[in-house]
Amino acid sequence: MDKKRVFSGIQPTGNTHLGNYLGAIKNWVAKQEEKENFFCVVDLHSLTVPQDPAQLRYETRSMAAILLAAGLDPEKCTIFIQSHVTAHAEGCWLLNCITPLGWLQRMTQYKDKSAKQESVLTGLLDYPVLMAGDIIFYDAHEVPVGEDQKQHVELARDIAQRFNSLYEQEFFVIPEPVIPEVGARVMGLDDPTNKMSKSLADKRGHAVRILDEPKEILRSFKRAVTDSGNEIVFSDDPEKAGVNNLLGIYKATTGKSEADVLADFADARGYGDLKKGVAEVVIEMLTPIRERYEYLMQDPAELDRLLAVGAEQARSVSQPKVDEMKQIMGLVLPG
Ligand code: TYM
């Protein structure tokens, strides 16, 4: 039987954090044997907000090295940079021409991000169409993402369905979001009512970044906002959001059941012990990744070689799909 195809992406905007790891990357690595995988460093998406060119170039390679260091194996999956495969930008135009504007204006991430900017770029509004193309040009069945990307994957489904119905054929596979049971929404350590986010990760105490040193990780957890009580319990009570977040991070990091997590903290003398316990398992998980990352970044030529192989594999799937789409839509292919 054919393996299910998986596509997912991550932006190279630096500050890759524990939420990105637990909500996405860790699950990509865990499932790479079972599926046919495409993982993409989505540099074109990063351009939807202003970037420093030199920084973006650095972060793009760095993001690819993080994925490899985290355990994605180029023998088992295709890892590539979005802009290396021109089908994404080309096909995005075609999808733009069948996507109603109102669908994009309703996207919650667009509304949030555009509200924070003085001048909103067209690319920011169009962001989910580019993302839809990423997924559907590969006929991906599954899209493993954190909770915050669910709406975008649903839009990709809508766009795929619209194309299929406009042109009266089952041309695109309708993709499904795959959201992990734990770790899908890691909250900020400084404000457990807001998700941990790359754009706030420079703020002291907000995030644990994948490449942070152990001392820094411990410091961030020690500073984590909790509550004035002392009960270590999983809870939906907004008052206990900080403790709930710490327990969720521990659970996602160790893979233990809630009962086993609580048993580990049964003798804790307060939140100090909880914070230290969470920091310890996170440091144990991230240290080998940081070390492998540093090793990989010493050999940029090898990194570029792996990415060139990935781009070639990705192109061989997505370019024929986009070419066929052009033909279906009435464009004349070069003779
Ligand atoms: P990005 O780069 O913001 O995030 C990468 C992945 O990390 C997940 N994530 C989180 N998970 C749990 N808790 C958090 N606090 C947290 N913050 C982020 C995200 O859900 C995501 O899975 N638009 C996408 C990139 C993209 C893409 C795609 C994804 C472009 N094309 C096609 C899937 C398929 C984004 O900006 O992710």
Side-chain angles (χ1 to χ4, degrees), residues 130-316:
L130 182 62
M131 175 161 161
D134 293 344
I135 300 166
I136 66 181
F137 301 152
Y138 291 83
D139 284 329
H141 305 91
E142 295 181 3
V143 188
V145 283
E147 181 69 42
D148 64 330
Q149 294 299 320
K150 192 167 173 222
Q151 194 187 35
H152 286 155
V153 182
E154 278 159 4
L155 186 85
R157 289 171 62 84
D158 291 343
I159 293 177
Q161 265 153 355
R162 186 172 167 92
F163 186 95
N164 289 355
S165 94
L166 277 174
Y167 294 99
E168 296 176 342
Q169 51 186 299
E170 295 304 304
F171 181 67
F172 285 124
V173 168
I174 311 300
E176 294 281 348
V178 178
I179 316 270
E181 271 169 43
V182 280
R185 195 169 169 80
V186 175
M187 310 306 274
L189 297 182
D190 57 342
D191 173 7
T193 60
N194 265 316
K195 70 163 186 169
M196 191 176 281
S197 102
K198 285 181 197 154
S199 56
L200 295 175
D202 279 331
K203 206 171 135 218
R204 244 176 114 199
H206 171 75
V208 165
R209 289 166 297 199
I210 292 191
L211 301 176
D212 279 348
E213 300 276 343
K215 258 198 292 187
E216 180 76 28
I217 297 178
L218 184 61
R219 216 178 302 140
S220 300
F221 277 114
K222 278 193 173 161
R223 246 188 249 128
V225 168
T226 45
D227 56 82
S228 54
N230 58 9
E231 244 194 318
I232 300 180
V233 284
F234 286 96
S235 160
D236 294 337
D237 180 354
E239 271 290 299
K240 298 215 58 88
V243 168
N244 197 56
N245 189 36
L246 291 172
L247 288 172
I249 291 172
Y250 188 89
K251 185 176 174 210
T253 302
T254 58
K256 290 185 178 181
S257 69
E258 290 198 358
D260 287 346
V261 170
L262 295 179
D264 285 355
F265 292 107
D267 297 330
R269 278 157 304 167
Y271 293 156
D273 284 355
L274 170 66
K275 292 174 179 181
K276 198 162 150 274
V278 180
E280 276 167 9
V281 293
V282 169
I283 289 169
E284 200 180 306
M285 173 176 73
L286 295 183
T287 299
I289 299 177
R290 183 173 43 78
E291 288 169 355
R292 275 198 298 273
Y293 167 83
E294 280 160 9
Y295 174 77
L296 289 163
M297 286 296 275
Q298 285 168 10
D299 193 352
E302 173 60 7
L303 198 56
D304 286 349
R305 190 191 66 78
L306 290 172
L307 291 169
V309 172
E312 194 47 50
Q313 287 166 352
R315 226 174 267 133
S316 73

Side-chain angles (χ1 to χ4, degrees), residues 88-150:
H88 292 247
E90 184 185 8
C92 176
W93 178 257
L94 305 177
L95 294 180
N96 280 337
C97 297
I98 61 140
T99 304
L101 187 58
W103 289 8
L104 304 181
Q105 287 163 329
R106 279 200 292 276
M107 292 285 109
T108 52
Q109 274 206 2
Y110 171 71
K111 287 198 272 189
D112 289 351
K113 284 194 185 172
S114 59
K116 290 181 198 141
Q117 284 165 32
E118 264 176 43
S119 153
V120 179
L121 303 174
T122 308
L124 190 67
L125 178 69
D126 202 27
Y127 178 116
V129 181
L130 182 62
M131 175 161 161
D134 293 344
I135 300 166
I136 66 181
F137 301 152
Y138 291 83
D139 284 329
H141 305 91
E142 295 181 3
V143 188
V145 283
E147 181 69 42
D148 64 330
Q149 294 299 320
K150 192 167 173 222

